[in-house]
Every structure is written in structure tokens, then in C-alpha cells.
């Protein structure tokens, strides 16, 4: 097994497992990636041609599927979001003209991707929102049927390793996660990846939110972001019971002016704020109900695909 000079080579017996709880600098990202690859190709040699089959799974999210998104807001920007003109782009990842994206669980440094959650509580937890912190909370819907690779592949040793890696809370593993995802799970046929939250366990019961019935997160590739439609959102403050206290609402209202948002603050006009909030919640529920009916009536198509990966040896 090759490894960078000065980094420890990782050799494991059949009974040993890779540990992703704490990143070991002496192993390094290259060492972890090589060890993971050796699980998939255990008999690989520098001169051999190696073939492996992954039994992949994917998820279909039909048109109208609803997801939540949270963006933490720095205190220095509160006045802007309370009083100034805010456009649709504020609810999406920043473009490269504003700043390069920082490395995330499934996006490399400078690579723009959209993170969504199946449950609002999960979206809050994934972003590390704490009581007293301001954030943007929004609802998104897909304008077309979408296909996401499922990170939970099967019960093989390789799949177990990927699951443990993707669940790591140590941000130093993000480079490893991104490289592994790109090598084994990133296919042009899919809009992105569906994966389980690393911070919320399924069926967790919160005193305020109740049972969290889904801990699924989605990460969508930049070129597919146009299919993610912003239904609306709020500037909110997380209270001491971990509930969002809405301060200002933002709703798109003109299809010809996609960046423009109508906004009203609670303090500025309580009655209009409540009316717009009720309208957004009603629209979100109606959109979700229609998507559920599409699933029941199988009003979607299974994709015709045979994903293939060619990996080049170091």
C-alpha cells in the first residue's frame, strides 16, 4: 500500500475496523483513503486490473417533495435581514463571486452544494444552531423528479466503513469523506446524495418537537440547484426551548423576477406577517400533499441507468 512520506501505513486484519471518531494526523487523509480502497480491492497490486461491484441504492424524490434548510446568521448581519432588501440568493449557498464555499461534509473547498433536511429539527441540529442564535429557516420544493444516491448501500464491510466515515463528527475527516464520495458514490446520473444525520438519531423524541421520524439529509450538486425551488422562509431566533421565533418572513411572488422576495417583519405589521406565514404554511402542506399523491399513484419514472466508475491507481 502506498502512503505519503511521513504518514503511517494502515494495515488491517479481517477482524479490525477503521475508526473515524478522531482523525489521526500520522495517518493523514491519503492513508485513510488508501485503507478504505484496500477494503474494496483487497488483492490489488500495482500491476493488476481490479474490478469490484457495488450494489447501489437510490432514492426518488418526486416533484413537490418538501425539505427544510437552515443558514446561521452572524450577529453583524442581523440589521440587514431585519430591515434591508433581501433576495432569493441569500437562501442558497453563496456564489463564487461572493466567497468560496468552505469545506463541508460532502463539498470540497470552493465547491458549491445545497444541503437540505427532511425535518426542520434535523436542519437546525446539522447547522449547530444554539439558543439565542439567529438563522434563516426556509422551505424548498423540487420542481422535477430527482434521483439521489443512498449512502446506506448494503450490509457489506465496505458499506459499514462508509457509514461510519460519513457519521464522523470530526471535521478533519471532511477531506476524506469528500474524496471517498467522489471516488465511489458520485455519478452524473444522480443529483446528489441522501445520507443520515450525524447529530440526530432516528425516532429521537424531543420534548418540544416530538418524535423525529426522519433524519435524512440531502446534498445537491450545483448544476442541479435550479430544480430546488424556494417556497419561502423566515429570519428566526432560536429560543431557550429550541424553537424558532420568527422575526421576518420572505416569500417569492413574481415568477419573472426570481430573485425578488416580498418581506414583512412581525414588528412592522403583525397582521400581514401572520397572514403571509399562514399562506406559506398552507402552500407547503398543499405541495407536500400533492407529492404524496404522486407517490401513491406512481406518477414518476424509475431512471434507466447503469452507473460505472473507473478508478485510476495512485
Amino acid at each position: 500500500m502506498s502512503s505519503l512520506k511521513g504518514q503511517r501505513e494502515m494495515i488491517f486484519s479481517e477482524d479490525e475496523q477503521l475508526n473515524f471518531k478522531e482523525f489521526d494526523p500520522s495517518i493523514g487523509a491519503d492513508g485513510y483513503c488508501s485503507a478504505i480502497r484496500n477494503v474494496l480491492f483487497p488483492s490489488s497490486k500495482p500491476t493488476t486490473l481490479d474490478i469490484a461491484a457495488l450494489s447501489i441504492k437510490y432514492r426518488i424524490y418526486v416533484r413537490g417533495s418538501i425539505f427544510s434548510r437552515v443558514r446561521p446568521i452572524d450577529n453583524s448581519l442581523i440589521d440587514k435581514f431585519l430591515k434591508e432588501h433581501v433576495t432569493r440568493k441569500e437562501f442558497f449557498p453563496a456564489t463564487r463571486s461572493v466567497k468560496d464555499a468552505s469545506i463541508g461534509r460532502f463539498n470540497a473547498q470552493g465547491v458549491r452544494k445545497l444541503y437540505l433536511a427532511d425535518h426542520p429539527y434535523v436542519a437546525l441540529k446539522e447547522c449547530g444552531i444554539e439558543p439565542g442564535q439567529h438563522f434563516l429557516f426556509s422551505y424548498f420544493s423540487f420542481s422535477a423528479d430527482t434521483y439521489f444516491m443512498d449512502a446506506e448501500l448494503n450490509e457489506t464491510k465496505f458499506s459499514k466503513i462508509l457509514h461510519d466515515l460519513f457519521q464522523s463528527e470530526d471535521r478533519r475527516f471532511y477531506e476524506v469523506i469528500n474524496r471517498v464520495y467522489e471516488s465511489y458514490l458520485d455519478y452524473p446520473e444522480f443529483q446528489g446524495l441522501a445520507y443520515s444525520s450525524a447529530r440526530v438519531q432516528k425516532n429521537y423524541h424531543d420534548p418540544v418537537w416530538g418524535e423525529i421520524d426522519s433524519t435524512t439529509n440531502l446534498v445537491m450538486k450545483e448544476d442541479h440547484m435550479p430544480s430546488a425551488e424556494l417556497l419561502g422562509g423566515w429570519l428566526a431566533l432560536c429560543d431557550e426551548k429550541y424553537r424558532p421565533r420568527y422575526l421576518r418572513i420572505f416569500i417569492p411572488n413574481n415568477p419573472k423576477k426570481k430573485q425578488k422576495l416580498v418581506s414583512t417583519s412581525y414588528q412592522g405589521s403583525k397582521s400581514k406577517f401572520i397572514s403571509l406565514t399562514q399562506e406559506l404554511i398552507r402552500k407547503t402542506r398543499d405541495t407536500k400533499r400533492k407529492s404524496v399523491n404522486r407517490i401513491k399513484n406512481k406518477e414518476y419514472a424509475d431512471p434507466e441507468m447503469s452507473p460505472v466508475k473507473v478508478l485510476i491507481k495512485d
Side-chain angles (χ1 to χ4, degrees), residues 68-79:
S68 303
R69 176 168 167 80
V70 165
R71 174 194 164 186
I73 298 298
D74 189 86
N75 287 336
S76 63
L77 298 174
I78 299 304
D79 281 347

Side-chain angles (χ1 to χ4, degrees), residues 80-81 84-88 90-91 248 250 259 261:
K80 170 186 175 179
F81 287 96
E84 298 178 15
H85 177 64
V86 174
T87 62
R88 177 178 174 272
E90 298 289 356
F91 289 85
R248 190 183 184 191
F250 305 91
Q259 287 297 331
L261 298 175

Side-chain angles (χ1 to χ4, degrees), residues 54 153-161:
L54 282 178
L153 297 176
N154 45 50
E155 298 301 320
T156 65
K157 181 179 180 181
F158 184 73
S159 299
K160 174 66 166 56
I161 287 173

Side-chain angles (χ1 to χ4, degrees), residues 69 92-93 101 106-108 111-115 178 181 186 219-222 225:
R69 176 168 167 80
F92 283 81
F106 286 102
N107 69 282
V111 177
R112 194 167 167 261
K113 291 186 179 180
L114 179 68
Y115 287 87
N178 276 279
Y181 164 67
D186 184 13
V219 55
M220 175 177 269
K221 291 179 277 191
E222 182 175 15
M225 283 187 202

Side-chain angles (χ1 to χ4, degrees), residues 85 208 298:
H85 177 64
V208 174
K298 208 178 185 305

Side-chain angles (χ1 to χ4, degrees), residues 168-223:
S168 177
E169 286 278 24
D170 191 335
R171 294 177 62 89
R172 292 175 295 178
F173 277 112
Y174 281 2
E175 180 185 349
V176 180
I177 292 174
N178 276 279
R179 288 169 58 176
V180 167
Y181 164 67
E182 183 177 344
S183 293
Y184 308 111
L185 301 181
D186 184 13
Y187 295 87
E189 292 89 346
F190 299 105
Q191 278 84 352
L193 183 75
Y195 64 100
S196 298
S197 171
R199 298 182 177 179
V200 183
Q201 297 300 311
K202 190 173 182 180
N203 298 322
Y204 166 74
H205 191 278
D206 182 80
V208 174
W209 290 86
E211 183 175 307
I212 310 303
D213 57 359
S214 173
T215 61
T216 297
N217 291 313
L218 299 183
V219 55
M220 175 177 269
K221 291 179 277 191
E222 182 175 15
D223 54 343

